[in-house]
Each structure stands twice: as C-alpha cells, then as structure tokens.
Amino acid sequence: MNHEQQDGQADLPPVPAAAQLTPKGASRRRIAGLGVSGVLMTVASNNAMAALVCKSPSGALSGNLNSQAPGSASCEGRSPGYWKNHSWPAEVNRNDMFTQYFPCSGELSTLTCKQVLTTQDDKYNVAMHIMATYLNVCSGKIGFLTRQAVKDMWSEYNLNRIYTPAVGATAWSGEELVAYLSSTQLQ
Amino acid sequence: MLTVSALAPEDLRRRLAGPGIALHTGAYQTLVRSDIAQVADGLGLLYADYPLGEADGFSDFQVNLMHSRGLRRWWGRQVRFDHDGHAPFKPLPVEQAFPMFEWSMNWCVSSRAHDCLIIHAAVVERDGLAAILPAPPGSGKSTLCAALVSRGWRLLSDELTMVRLGDARIVPLPRPISLKNASIGVIRDYAPDMVFSRPVHDTNKGTVAHVKAPAASVARALETARPAWIVFPKYVAGAAPSLEAIPQARAFMHVAENAFNYSLLAHDGFDALGRLIGATRSFHFRYGALDDAMDVFANLERPPA
Amino acid sequence: MWRLKSGQSLQRHEFPDGEESVLYNALSGDTHLLGAAAIELLLCLQCGPADDAMLRDVLAAAMDGERDPDFDTQVAALLDQLSSFYLIESFSC
C-alpha cells in the first residue's frame, strides 16, 4: 500500500481559500483546482498502532523505557513466515496440536502448530497470525501482550468471528484483527 | 475518604512493601507495591492529597516497582517495573525509581484504557472550558501546563488527555507534572509556591523533576470538562505571542497523529475525534514569555454555550 | 470503469470552516485528509460505478473557472491515488 505520511503542516498544500459552501444535500461543490484537491495526508493505522503498543509517540511518555527482551525491543514481533523457518521458544513444540493452546473445532483442530502457520483457515488467516503472535509473546519478541491475552483474542474470535479490543470499542472483524496483529510484526 | 497524607511515612513505606496501597487517580484505581524508598517518598510528597481505596479491592492496574534481582546487582541497585506479573521494560538505576513510577502509570493508562480516546497532550480547564495542549517533546508543553496551573487553571492532565467516547468530554487524570532540564528552574522561578520532587539526573530525558498537582485539581478529579480549544504550543525564545487558527480538518489529522489509541479504536476513534474537533477551535501558538502565554489563554474566545 | 472498493462506507467528517474533509478508510484503518475533488469523486462513485469520462464531467462541472490544460491528466492521477489507498478500484465490464 502506498501510504503518504506527512509530519507537520509544512508539507501540506496551503489551505484553499474558503470555497462557497454548499447547503447540505446540494449536488454541487466548488473546487478551485485539482492539484490541491486529492488525498493530502494520511494517518496510517499501522504506525499509530505501533506507537500505541510499543512506545509513546516519540518515546516521551514512558521515558524511552527499554524493553526487557535481551538485545531487542519488545516490539520485534515476527510474521508467520519467519516462524516457519526459525527455532521456536522451548515452551511450544511445533508438533503440538494448535487446539491445545487455542481450542477450536473443524479442520483447524486436526492441525499442528507448525501446520497452522501455513494454513489459510478463513479469508483473513486469523489462526495463522494468532499462532505467530503467540510465538512472539513466548519468545519475548513482543512485550505488550500476555499469553492469556492472545488466547482470549482467539477464543472470542473463534466463537463470534469478531474481537472487541476494549469495552465500548467497536468490534473488529477478522480482517481488522489480522491488520492489528500484522502491525505488531516487523515487515 | 482516607488520603495518602493520613499515613505516617513509616506506615506508607510498610504498606507499599507489603500489601500495597490502592491509589485513586481520577477514575482509575492502581494497586501500587514497592520496596524502594524513593517511590515511597515521592508518593508521600506528591500524592498526599490522593484518595486511597482498599488494597484488597478491585484495582484497574497493578504496578510493582521492586529492587531488581539478578545479574546487574553488582552495577548498583536497580528498580524493575512490572504490572500484573508482566515486566515490559529493562530495569533502571534505583535513583530513577520515582520517575519510573510516573512513566509506568502513564504506560498502564495509555496501553489499556480504551474507553477513551487518549491524546498525548496536557489539558487544563477554567470556567468550565478545557484547553488541550498536544505537543511533541521539547515544545514546552509541560512548562506551559505548569505555568497555567500555577495561575489558577485546573489541571486535568499533564500527559494523557482522555476524551470520553460518546460525548467527547474530557475525563481528568490529574497527576504530578513532569518537567525536564531548564524548565525545572523556569517554573521554580515562575511559581515559587509549587511543590517539587527532588530532581533526578541522568535519565534518558536528562534531569527530571515532578511538580505536585494542586489539591483543588485533585479534589475535582472526578469532574469531567467540556473541551473548547486545542492549542499546539511552541516555545521560541524572544518570540512575540502569535495564535494562528488551524482549519478543523487539518487539526483532526494533527491530533490523530498525537493520539495513542486512535487507530486501535477504529470507527469509534474516528467518531470521537470528529466530535472533539467539531466542538473545539484549534490553534498553533508561538510564544517567548510565560506571561504572554497567560494573557493569550485568558483571552481565548469562548465558544457559544 | 471505476467503483468504490467493496467495504468502503465513506465514513467522513466535514467541518464548517473549510472544504477539506477527513475520511475513515474501512479497509486499511487509515484516515485520510481529502480535498474537495477527491470527495466529489468518491461521492459520485457512491451512487454507482462510473467511467473516466463521466467522472471528468462531474469534476469539471464542480470547478470554478476554466479547466486547466492538464485537466485529464490530473483526474487520472487523482483516480490512481484514490485507488492506491484502496478507496476505489477499476474494473472491466
């Protein structure tokens, strides 16, 4: 995806002179010129989430506290592809059944943890990303989720096909959940 | 309700090292445990007015700051933060224990409290209207916040502006104001009556000190406020004060960039921020003298009722 | 032919002090600051698919003053930009 990120108003075109405002429902909108009229700026969801989960904006809020994991920040999650080819944390065996950690039924319940990494369980590959996230937590590559939190994410999604990130928040679809989990992984 | 000041220092230290204390900050209750003198001293000084709950009751967060065991012991004593048994950060020298406590409290809220849109900004209130001050580090936000608070503005927060989903009212979280380096001296001069922690040197941010929130702000910690202005401050030595309006759509984007959980909240974040921007007017504010800033803020145009 | 990308609801905030809007991209979770032309195109496509010529006409009708000589190129660039953000997509009938 092509995300343009601009910091500060210096990179934005000047604000158009107040155009004639049309009453709501009117079909006509006055446009001064196309060059300054497209998508001017984007706040990309991935980066904002990374700022949330990993450190405060500019690291200021938490005093640039450094993560616990030896030699790495607590925000170096890896993708499912990485975990296919690298050694796993001792507590999770590749040949353990996925359902042992993440209760499920149907085809998923016949797969090992290793197999789930390459299985498309639904359109969005939620199980695959949940497995990778769990490995990220167990290995200390990410420090802001607990094992239980990952299990809770799966159990809600498995039951309802949505995940509610917080009380009062709009529920996430599988696509949004995967977008979040992917944002915790190094690209 | 019992406040921290009701506990004698030895009692405070003993409870912190044992069952912990349940500290109320605005709507949140945090169970704090620590075996470190600097934490007990900082709490006793800067949190004297804060209510205490039952240590064995429900707490939103649990924060433990303990002497760190392990390999680093021979380098000098260290403090380790963990919450709910989970330790996301490396230990720091024990001298930095109180700043670490403050940073850990911020971290708990900013990573967990998703019933609000959380903006990295200070927020103060006067005569029923709140001014939000988002700003990257180094822009003088905390200095300005401390100055405004010293001149009668209510402190709602120095770092975390909590915008309630649904009605966009500001939920207070008044805690000590953190100052760095030169701004410590500036505020000591500007507001000699404010209570300061002992400065802590050689942190990642340089020298850090915390200023006690006024008792009146703490007493009103459960009183939400109506947002009216969003002011992006920039301190420039010698500059004449200037206030420049920001078009609302652009202000929306700038605030989104300064919000911790804007994207996490998805549609709800988009709606809450839309409501906030619709209810406020936004400005870039450049200033070179605190007295100038006080005047400008005192004269901000009030929105229609 | 162009159409809105499936799943986009064009959740948007307009403000009375200007012609720019902010839009929530339901597919990416991104938020975009949009100028008037981008909004015009998206609203048009919300009513149904349209081809390049129709979209150019819609924009031309909304413009103040004379068309820039690069108008067609600019419209094409704008459509590509919107497509790169997964807001719209082209398709063949």
Side-chain angles (χ1 to χ4, degrees):
Chain A
M1 270 196 212
N2 172 22
H3 293 300
E4 282 178 54
Q5 277 235 254
Q6 302 190 14
D7 296 318
Q9 75 281 21
D11 292 323
L12 288 170
V15 181
Q20 194 111 0
L21 293 171
T22 60
K24 279 218 179 317
S27 59
R28 186 151 297 195
R29 184 186 304 269
R30 299 287 181 86
I31 300 169
L34 291 187
V36 294
S37 249
V39 178
L40 301 169
M41 183 182 169
T42 295
V43 172
S45 68
N46 281 355
N47 287 345
M49 278 192 232
L52 163 69
V53 298
C54 291
K55 34 171 129 45
S56 64
S58 315
L61 198 70
S62 298
N64 288 323
L65 290 173
N66 293 309
S67 108
Q68 191 69 293
S72 65
S74 70
C75 290
E76 288 187 353
R78 300 296 188 161
S79 66
Y82 172 94
W83 288 113
K84 264 171 50 187
N85 300 317
H86 288 78
S87 62
W88 287 27
E91 67 187 271
V92 187
N93 188 301
R94 280 170 204 269
N95 296 317
D96 289 343
M97 300 305 284
F98 178 72
T99 192
Q100 179 183 328
Y101 300 92
F102 301 102
C104 55
S105 57
E107 203 214 322
L108 272 180
S109 66
T110 67
L111 300 179
T112 63
C113 290
K114 176 178 139 191
Q115 287 168 330
V116 159
L117 287 178
T118 50
T119 300
Q120 297 189 291
D121 58 311
D122 61 18
K123 230 166 49 155
Y124 307 110
N125 302 324
V126 175
M128 185 193 294
H129 282 91
I130 286 278
M131 191 69 236
T133 304
Y134 192 71
L135 292 169
N136 288 332
V137 172
C138 293
S139 61
K141 290 192 189 300
I142 63 181
F144 48 84
L145 289 173
T146 60
R147 291 161 180 71
Q148 192 58 47
V150 182
K151 291 183 181 192
D152 290 345
M153 259 181 214
W154 171 257
S155 69
E156 184 183 348
Y157 181 77
N158 187 48
L159 191 62
N160 297 322
R161 296 287 135 186
I162 54 169
Y163 171 65
T164 313
V167 174
T170 302
W172 290 352
S173 64
E175 183 169 15
E176 286 165 311
L177 178 55
V178 167
Y180 168 69
L181 294 175
S182 302
S183 78
T184 69
Q185 298 161 7
L186 296 177
Q187 298 307 320
Chain B
M1 208 179 207
L2 195 72
T3 59
V4 171
S5 62
L7 300 177
E10 314 81 58
D11 193 14
L12 176 60
R13 251 177 257 132
R14 189 183 49 78
R15 289 193 196 204
L16 281 166
I21 63 166
L23 186 66
H24 279 258
T25 53
Y28 297 109
Q29 175 165 308
T30 305
L31 182 64
V32 183
R33 286 203 184 99
S34 180
D35 60 359
I36 297 174
Q38 285 88 339
V39 174
D41 292 345
L43 282 169
L45 179 68
L46 301 181
Y47 284 84
D49 306 319
Y50 290 68
L52 291 173
E54 296 299 327
D56 56 2
F58 170 78
S59 282
D60 299 284
F61 309 113
Q62 185 181 23
V63 165
N64 299 325
L65 286 144
M66 302 299 186
H67 284 108
S68 178
R69 294 187 187 83
L71 299 175
R72 292 235 167 100
R73 189 180 288 172
W74 55 276
W75 280 359
R77 300 180 84 200
Q78 294 193 313
V79 55
R80 180 178 172 272
F81 158 57
D82 76 83
H83 80 100
D84 305 340
H86 173 58
F89 302 112
K90 285 186 182 141
L92 288 176
V94 74
E95 295 72 30
Q96 298 184 25
F98 185 74
M100 192 182 206
F101 168 72
E102 287 295 312
W103 295 330
S104 307
M105 292 283 278
N106 289 339
W107 186 87
C108 286
V109 173
S110 66
S111 55
R112 309 270 284 283
H114 302 309
D115 50 342
C116 291
L117 174 67
I118 309 171
I119 306 171
H120 185 204
V123 55
V124 295
E125 175 261 320
R126 184 121 150 215
D127 299 331
L129 297 174
I132 297 169
L133 315 176
S139 56
K141 156 186 71 81
S142 291
T143 314
L144 182 56
C145 175
L148 287 164
V149 167
S150 77
R151 295 303 192 260
W153 288 73
R154 171 165 68 120
L155 175 69
L156 280 85
S157 182
D158 166 46
E159 287 276 14
L160 301 173
T161 294
M162 317 282 294
V163 182
R164 189 159 67 188
L165 299 181
D167 63 3
R169 285 190 68 92
I170 309 302
V171 177
L173 193 53
R175 289 200 5 251
I177 302 171
S178 77
L179 297 175
K180 301 192 290 276
N181 303 316
S183 63
I184 300 171
V186 166
I187 294 296
R188 275 202 206 275
D189 289 340
Y190 196 73
D193 292 342
M194 290 188 113
V195 174
F196 279 71
S197 71
R198 199 172 348 116
V200 175
H201 304 286
D202 300 323
T203 73
N204 282 347
K205 298 159 105 172
T207 297
V208 164
H210 287 87
V211 178
K212 183 170 183 271
S217 299
V218 177
R220 293 170 67 189
L222 295 181
E223 189 187 311
T224 62
R226 176 184 162 194
W229 309 287
I230 302 176
V231 180
F232 292 82
K234 185 143 186 71
Y235 171 74
V236 177
S242 80
L243 200 60
E244 181 200 320
I246 306 173
Q248 287 172 300
R250 298 210 173 182
F252 183 108
M253 302 300 278
H254 296 319
V255 176
E257 288 182 306
N258 281 282
F260 290 101
N261 60 353
Y262 171 73
S263 286
L264 191 72
L265 291 175
H267 310 273
D268 290 335
F270 184 75
D271 280 344
L273 187 50
R275 211 165 283 123
L276 177 70
I277 296 292
T280 54
R281 292 297 171 266
S282 299
F283 304 93
H284 286 296
F285 175 54
R286 185 179 270 240
Y287 70 103
L290 285 173
D291 280 342
D292 290 344
M294 300 302 105
D295 283 339
V296 168
F297 273 74
N299 290 302
L300 285 169
E301 191 184 330
R302 293 180 71 88
Chain C
M1 288 291 280
W2 294 93
R3 63 186 168 203
L4 277 190
K5 199 106 170 97
S6 168
Q8 293 293 6
S9 54
L10 299 190
Q11 192 181 353
R12 188 166 109 254
H13 291 302
E14 291 185 333
F15 298 99
D17 69 346
E19 63 180 35
E20 292 173 350
S21 294
V22 293
L23 181 124
Y24 182 73
N25 187 324
L27 294 181
S28 64
D30 292 347
T31 299
H32 306 292
L33 176 70
L34 299 178
I39 299 161
E40 196 70 30
L41 285 180
L42 290 171
L43 291 178
C44 179
L45 289 171
Q46 194 170 40
C47 299
D51 63 18
D52 292 80
M54 279 169 63
L55 293 172
R56 283 197 291 269
D57 287 346
V58 161
L59 277 183
M63 281 181 65
D64 265 343
E66 302 207 349
R67 273 203 215 189
D68 199 283
D70 291 331
F71 179 79
D72 289 5
T73 315
Q74 288 175 346
V75 176
L78 185 49
L79 289 167
D80 281 343
Q81 191 191 33
L82 292 173
S83 174
S84 76
F85 286 110
Y86 291 66
L87 292 167
I88 65 177
E89 62 186 353
S90 65
F91 67 101
S92 2
C93 309

